[in-house]
Amino acid sequence: MSRRNLLRGAAVGAGAVTLPALLTACGGGPGGDGKTITLGSNSSDPVPKKAFAEAFDAYAAQSDGRKIKVNTVDHNTFQENINRYLQGKPDDVFMWFAGNRMQFFAEKGLLHDVSDNWQDYKGFSAALKAQSTGADGKQYLTPYYYYPWAVFHRKSLFTERGYQVPKTLDEYVALAKQMQKDKLDPIAFCDKDGWPAMGTFDYINMRTNGYEFHKSLMAGEEAWTDKRVREVFDTWRRLLPYCQQGANGRTWQEAATSLQKRDAGMAVFGLPHPGAQFPKAEQGDLDFFPFPVINPEHGQDAVEAPIDGFLLAKKSKNLKNKKSLESAKDLLKWLATGKAEDIYLKSDPNNIAVNDQADTSNYSAIQKKAVELVSGAKQISQFMDRDSRPDFSSTVMIPAIQKFISSPNDVDGLVNDIERQKKSIFASD
Amino acid sequence: MSFISGRRTGRRGTRRFTRRDLVVLGVLLGIPVLLDIAIVWGPTLASVALSFTSWDGIGDIKWVGTRNYANLFTNYPQFWPAARHNLLWLGFLGLVAAPFGLLLAVLIDRGVRFSRFYQSTLYMPVVLSLAVVGFIAQLIFSRDQGALNAIVGDTRTPTDWLGDPDLNIWMVLLAAAWRHTGYVMILYLAGLKAVDPTLKEAAAIDGASEAQTFFRVVFPTLRPVNVIVGVITVIESLRAFDIVYAVNHGRNGLELLSVLVTDNIIGEASRIGFGSAIAVVLLVVSLGFVATYLIQELRGEKDR
């Protein structure tokens, strides 16, 4: 026996050992008892985690014997692993976001069509349906709550110092100047995690160029070298001197804390961000105003209000079982009711219900104001990383915005960089 | 030679393995070789192959030739900083942390007071994972709530140790060196203990000064340790990842090749082809060091 034959023999032998194991790992029929539904949760923060637990308990209590097994994963980790998660062994139901970020996975065939559920859903606006619909016209998401982005501040600080809510960009800058004189950081600002500053970009862009431009820019249909994009960065540069310095080293929690501690006067955030950093006793003092007008043509039409919801994972083994699928859809149906949202929001007052049948009478003042803001909006955007492709927003836009924050003067170089990368990424399909 | 001469004398049969020997050999040698192929070579070659494709991990794999590389070198602003940072890492650990570790080892080996205490204190960080070191670094260097700024007491214009892209790499290198120094120190301590004291005595009798004794006599006998320290320093620098990932996901001044690979492949992005191209660059760089090391070693063997 030659050495080559020996090696060949060994290779075949080992292959025979490992191959069946691999095959069984891939196969496997439908499983589960039909009554237990697993649910992948990205709500790792304590407040929403507890609120979700209450909602799921309420569901289990009213269903005959159905149970929900929740697997909670750290929020950012869940986000970063979503691709692999959905292709591997996902839970039956999982939490995710509306808009392009959902459509991306729908297009890849990783989501279960829930259009039949949607025929029975009540209390959802057309805009919600649109954000829950894939490119193929089918629905994939069951929305649960959303939260608007706005400029947050402390009521008491504003009355104490006699600050007026600014309506236009010039008033905003004037107010910021006044705050600087008063030894405050006018605008709390952070981007260590890479995404918080995207909200500011989105707002400046939508106020300057309108929602339609935002949409097509995020879809890769507009050039980032366009003069309209440069204008956004120019406006932003005008605001930067009033923003807290060192944003790239600050997390959103730290920025929200400086707002809470009255070190900073204002901050562009989503409702849950300052909400989570304000102690209960001070939550009544939290207030917001819509991002100021830049171009009167677009006014304050658009509101950035990301929608979170529930989806079914196509690759879930359990859902191949008809009874389990039925159970999972039943859960979604229940979650889509106003009542289910009430239970959640009672413990997490930092979001607002999507269903217009939800009981808003117990809402806090700021929640009521948030409902007003969203319902008065002509267009609702999701967020840069939800309205665009994940590979573009995470690998190109996060570093680009961080670079802009630390060296804001080279806008030409920046937009050229973005545009070149955008072309190669959007052309990769 | 003996094999050939065995052939010549016609004793072929006795030199052959028995069937049982072959089976044992096949299992003992075959399984590790197969594992090596499946776990190391397979993925490596797959990465090289994938680096010429475009794939999002779900749909079809599309052949794109060298486009990923062209994009990487000309079109990806993070790439060159990442490559530079990897080299900086190597330089810093190799030229600052490692010699410092040697210095500490020599001091402790000479038996300064409380040397056991110093030894355990300096070694302590080595038991921490670099990710944990990253979290500790944040507690110290955070701009608003960090300990360092609180001690320095500059509240009006605090230094943004971790957010300033010109500064943060040095802070992270300090944190990484904090650990590496202890590691190197312990290796050199072991090496120094093994140095034959008679050598030092002989040197002293010959009238050599302390410094001469160290550089001419002790240090050369540490050659095996030097090689090990060199190798782990290179490994640490090339695989550096966890600490910058813990601090800010390796962005904004903390880019490293390993982070870029992860960002593109593991993250939400799933640009597997592009990420593989970065991985191949990292592989080529590593192979450069591996080859240099092997050549050095083989040459050393011949000289001896």
Side-chain angles (χ1 to χ4, degrees):
Chain A
M1 195 182 260
S2 71
R3 205 169 56 175
R4 180 169 296 167
N5 272 333
L6 187 142
L7 280 178
R8 196 177 291 153
V12 171
V17 174
T18 52
L19 204 63
L22 285 175
L23 285 178
T24 47
C26 297
D33 57 3
K35 293 245 175 194
T36 309
I37 307 148
T38 61
L39 191 146
S41 163
N42 59 4
S43 284
S44 49
D45 293 338
V47 172
K49 191 176 173 183
K50 186 170 157 277
F52 272 119
E54 278 164 23
F56 298 145
D57 285 346
Y59 169 76
Q62 58 85 53
S63 79
D64 45 326
R66 284 187 173 128
K67 273 187 304 233
I68 301 172
K69 213 179 124 230
V70 184
N71 300 320
T72 307
V73 177
D74 166 69
H75 191 90
N76 282 334
T77 313
F78 190 89
Q79 220 152 291
E80 275 155 17
N81 291 331
I82 186 74
N83 217 320
R84 242 134 300 275
Y85 171 77
L86 289 180
Q87 291 179 74
K89 289 182 185 162
D91 299 295
D92 310 338
V93 184
F94 69 99
M95 294 179 192
W96 193 241
F97 318 121
N100 206 307
R101 209 130 161 222
M102 168 210 75
Q103 288 163 4
F104 180 78
F105 295 114
E107 243 168 80
K108 309 276 177 198
L110 294 169
L111 306 178
H112 237 290
D113 172 16
V114 291
S115 304
D116 47 343
N117 261 23
W118 265 88
Q119 290 175 353
D120 303 329
Y121 286 168
K122 285 186 186 69
F124 290 151
S125 66
L128 275 171
K129 188 165 185 176
Q131 293 286 2
S132 309
T133 305
D136 56 359
K138 293 173 182 161
Q139 283 77 45
Y140 293 95
L141 176 100
T142 301
Y144 197 57
Y145 60 63
Y146 53 6
Y147 53 92
W149 279 64
V151 187
F152 286 83
H153 62 90
R154 285 192 81 127
K155 234 184 279 177
S156 60
L157 186 79
F158 267 50
T159 42
E160 220 170 80
R161 308 271 175 115
Y163 297 146
Q164 294 297 316
V165 165
K167 181 88 175 148
T168 65
L169 187 72
D170 289 334
E171 289 172 18
Y172 188 52
V173 172
L175 174 60
K177 268 192 186 136
Q178 182 57 44
M179 286 179 172
Q180 218 160 37
K181 259 187 217 152
D182 296 344
K183 301 265 178 278
L184 286 170
D185 268 330
I187 303 168
F189 195 42
C190 58
D191 204 31
K192 189 174 170 190
D193 307 290
W195 55 264
M198 288 176 173
T200 305
F201 177 90
D202 286 349
Y203 263 133
I204 299 178
N205 185 25
M206 288 193 294
R207 293 289 185 258
T208 312
N209 303 312
Y211 173 71
E212 291 305 322
F213 183 76
H214 161 82
K215 248 179 66 175
S216 47
L217 181 67
M218 292 301 128
E221 289 154 10
E222 302 281 348
W224 281 78
T225 44
D226 194 296
K227 109 176 181 299
R228 286 172 288 183
V229 179
R230 285 166 207 254
E231 212 181 314
V232 173
F233 282 113
D234 287 342
T235 306
W236 201 354
R237 195 171 49 219
R238 199 179 142 200
L239 292 174
L240 278 181
Y242 309 108
C243 294
Q244 239 171 349
Q245 299 306 300
N248 286 332
R250 187 179 298 107
T251 63
W252 65 261
Q253 287 94 338
E254 288 172 312
T257 304
S258 63
L259 186 72
Q260 186 263 331
K261 281 174 30 192
R262 295 163 189 267
D263 293 339
M266 311 177 268
V268 179
F269 268 136
L271 182 55
H273 307 124
Q277 297 303 310
F278 273 57
K280 221 170 194 149
E282 292 175 29
Q283 289 207 331
D285 200 29
L286 183 64
D287 201 359
F288 69 80
F289 56 86
F291 198 89
V293 176
I294 295 176
N295 178 353
E297 190 191 325
H298 302 293
Q300 293 175 319
D301 291 355
V303 169
E304 184 131 280
I307 302 165
D308 290 3
F310 294 93
L311 305 96
L312 301 186
K314 190 110 197 182
K315 292 253 161 130
S316 157
K317 244 191 250 173
N318 219 356
L319 291 185
K320 300 212 168 82
N321 179 337
K322 238 185 177 164
K323 259 168 89 188
S324 297
L325 183 62
E326 208 175 284
S327 294
K329 283 192 169 172
D330 184 66
L331 170 66
L332 293 190
K333 262 180 217 158
W334 185 83
L335 287 167
T337 61
K339 226 177 74 198
E341 291 170 17
D342 292 341
I343 296 171
Y344 175 85
L345 291 170
K346 220 166 83 189
S347 303
D348 179 10
N350 298 321
N351 292 292
I352 53 176
V354 279
N355 196 312
D356 59 24
Q357 294 174 345
D359 178 19
T360 55
S361 61
N362 289 327
Y363 273 12
S364 63
I366 198 163
Q367 276 176 304
K368 283 183 181 150
K369 206 172 163 184
V371 173
E372 222 171 276
L373 178 70
V374 176
S375 53
K378 287 204 183 122
Q379 304 104 6
I380 293 180
S381 64
Q382 291 301 291
F383 198 69
M384 179 184 285
D385 65 5
R386 299 186 184 201
D387 284 333
S388 188
R389 292 170 57 122
D391 45 4
F392 174 67
S393 56
S394 71
T395 63
V396 179
M397 285 318 291
I398 289 179
I401 289 182
Q402 286 187 332
K403 192 175 163 212
F404 172 73
I405 292 170
S406 60
S407 48
N409 288 323
D410 183 22
V411 170
D412 281 349
L414 187 79
V415 291
N416 281 327
D417 265 358
I418 298 174
E419 178 62 17
R420 278 207 314 271
Q421 293 182 79
K422 183 211 87 181
K423 274 190 186 144
S424 78
I425 286 177
F426 279 81
S428 67
D429 286 335
Chain B
M1 276 317 225
S2 64
F3 187 75
I4 293 171
S5 64
R7 243 184 180 176
R8 220 179 267 160
T9 49
R11 289 190 291 145
R12 278 179 87 171
T14 53
R15 286 279 174 184
R16 303 290 304 243
F17 299 111
T18 66
R19 195 153 276 276
R20 214 175 110 194
D21 286 346
L22 285 175
V23 170
V24 171
L25 258 181
V27 171
L28 291 188
L29 198 76
I31 290 183
V33 165
L34 271 176
L35 283 176
D36 189 43
I37 289 171
I39 300 172
V40 179
W41 283 101
T44 307
L45 294 177
S47 294
V48 175
L50 280 173
S51 72
F52 297 102
T53 66
S54 159
W55 188 34
D56 60 10
I58 308 171
D60 301 328
I61 302 181
K62 223 175 69 185
W63 190 260
V64 296
T66 54
R67 205 177 69 192
N68 285 330
Y69 291 95
N71 259 334
L72 184 59
F73 294 133
T74 60
N75 211 357
Y76 192 48
Q78 289 94 287
F79 175 73
W80 291 112
R84 267 203 308 277
H85 292 160
N86 267 94
L87 287 178
L88 186 64
W89 212 275
L90 182 66
F92 193 82
L93 290 192
L95 299 178
V96 179
F100 190 56
L102 174 62
L103 175 71
L104 292 173
V106 170
L107 289 179
I108 286 172
D109 188 57
R110 292 177 50 117
V112 289
R113 259 184 183 225
F114 309 121
S115 63
R116 296 264 151 180
F117 171 75
Y118 294 134
Q119 189 178 331
S120 38
T121 315
L122 291 168
Y123 186 68
M124 202 104 84
V126 183
V127 302
L128 299 174
S129 133
L130 258 187
V132 177
V133 175
F135 291 123
I136 296 173
Q138 291 191 67
L139 293 178
I140 296 170
F141 297 129
S142 157
R143 178 185 186 269
D144 298 351
Q145 300 167 4
L148 184 58
N149 277 343
I151 294 167
V152 175
D154 190 358
T155 44
R156 264 201 315 147
T157 51
T159 313
D160 190 9
W161 301 105
L162 292 179
D164 183 341
D166 298 327
L167 206 58
N168 52 11
I169 186 85
W170 298 105
M171 295 301 120
V172 168
L173 278 173
L174 267 184
W178 177 58
R179 200 183 86 138
H180 195 69
T181 302
Y183 198 179
V184 169
M185 178 200 74
I186 217 80
L187 290 171
Y188 273 123
L189 264 179
L192 286 169
K193 294 260 189 285
V195 174
D196 191 347
T198 53
L199 280 178
K200 283 192 242 175
E201 273 167 38
I205 291 167
D206 285 348
S209 69
E210 284 275 336
Q212 279 173 328
T213 312
F214 178 75
F215 285 109
R216 302 272 175 84
V217 179
V218 179
F219 193 67
T221 59
L222 289 175
R223 186 181 178 270
V225 186
N226 289 335
V227 171
I228 293 173
V229 167
V231 169
I232 61 162
T233 302
V234 170
I235 291 174
E236 287 279 319
S237 322
L238 291 177
R239 75 168 181 193
F241 171 80
D242 18 18
I243 185 165
V244 295
Y245 204 74
V247 170
N248 70 353
H249 285 219
R251 295 174 184 137
N252 182 41
L254 295 185
E255 292 85 357
L256 288 173
L257 289 176
S258 54
V259 173
L260 299 187
V261 175
T262 320
D263 261 3
N264 281 283
I265 295 185
I266 314 281
E268 215 184 315
S270 271
R271 298 167 76 188
I272 292 179
F274 188 66
S276 299
I278 307 172
V280 169
V281 171
L282 188 56
L283 176 74
V284 170
V285 175
S286 319
L287 283 179
F289 283 106
V290 171
T292 321
Y293 168 68
L294 282 179
I295 290 169
Q296 286 279 336
E297 278 301 283
L298 292 177
R299 239 183 234 155
E301 211 90 314
K302 250 185 233 159
D303 291 348
R304 253 178 255 153

